[in-house]
Amino acid sequence: MRPLTEEETKMVFEKLYKFIGKDIKSMIERPDGRYCLRLHKNKVFYVSEALMKKATNIARDKLVSLGTPVGKLTHSGKFRLTIGALELLSRYAKHKVWLKPSAEMQYLYGNHVVKSGLGRITENTPAYTGVVVYSMSDIPLGFGLSAKSTNECRSMEPSGIVVLHQADVGEYLRNEDEL
């Protein structure tokens, strides 16, 4: 497990900035200690520095995982958030979307969110920014990109796409062999 290079850190923080904005600093410097991002086998992990120091006693080839998996670096050199980042994103998210109960299953099957399934949306959400998707009972279901701003959502037809799907908790079942 190694620290991220400057270029890798920039990619990860740019992606996280779409979802949590300037709260990246509070994500790293938390009241319960400092946290950091580490890379292991093309996967990026969010881990406390105290736990990371204890893990230095384990050989790299024997270490499977440490901390919370946030995403992975693709072969083309880009960073992709995975569903493991949902807890972190939901804690610091600026923009949120709540789904009606009738639309939750469609979203959990990997489909985009349409306006007819939209329960409510955070005010002043711009288009193409990161949003965390919740059920009406405030349970985080996944995350994606807003396809329309809050004002555009009010005037669109019921079959228009509001949130572009990126990841949801149903992926644990759909991609069980890979995980």
Side-chain angles (χ1 to χ4, degrees):
M1 191 161 272
R2 67 169 177 81
L4 298 174
T5 64
E6 196 169 315
E7 183 179 320
E8 293 166 345
T9 304
K10 183 181 175 190
M11 285 189 299
V12 171
F13 282 163
E14 283 176 354
K15 186 70 83 166
L16 288 173
Y17 184 81
K18 288 182 179 180
F19 289 91
I20 62 177
K22 295 180 181 178
D23 282 344
I24 291 176
K25 184 175 180 178
S26 61
M27 180 186 88
I28 300 296
E29 296 173 5
R30 291 178 28 178
D32 58 340
R34 285 187 55 92
Y35 281 71
C36 57
L37 296 168
R38 291 291 186 253
L39 183 74
H40 184 65
K41 298 180 181 176
N42 288 340
K43 293 181 182 173
V44 178
F45 293 92
Y46 176 71
V47 62
S48 71
E49 287 186 352
L51 181 61
M52 186 194 59
K53 288 177 184 176
K54 291 177 184 176
T56 56
N57 297 332
I58 301 170
R60 283 189 184 191
D61 59 329
K62 302 289 185 197
L63 187 64
V64 177
S65 179
L66 181 67
T68 305
V70 173
K72 62 182 179 178
L73 294 172
T74 62
H75 294 292
S76 61
K78 296 183 180 177
F79 177 72
R80 182 172 181 262
L81 283 172
T82 58
I83 191 60
L86 181 60
E87 179 189 347
L88 186 65
L89 293 178
S90 65
R91 182 179 302 158
Y92 298 104
K94 290 188 336 183
H95 305 291
K96 302 174 183 179
V97 171
W98 288 267
L99 298 182
K100 293 178 182 175
S102 59
E104 287 179 19
M105 285 309 293
Q106 286 300 313
Y107 182 73
L108 294 177
Y109 285 137
N111 297 319
H112 301 307
V113 176
V114 293
K115 183 176 186 243
S116 63
L118 184 66
R120 60 182 203 228
I121 186 169
T122 307
E123 280 298 319
N124 301 325
T125 300
Y128 302 110
T129 190
V131 294
V132 177
V133 179
Y134 289 90
S135 67
M136 289 304 272
S137 55
D138 286 332
I139 298 171
L141 300 175
F143 56 88
L145 292 177
S146 60
K148 305 284 182 184
S149 67
T150 304
N151 293 333
E152 292 172 323
C153 288
R154 292 185 178 119
S155 62
M156 65 189 300
E157 73 267 1
S159 62
I161 296 176
V162 177
V163 177
L164 301 170
H165 177 274
Q166 282 191 337
D168 64 81
V169 293
E171 285 185 24
Y172 285 119
L173 297 175
R174 291 194 306 272
N175 300 334
E176 190 174 8
D177 295 335
E178 296 173 17
L179 300 174

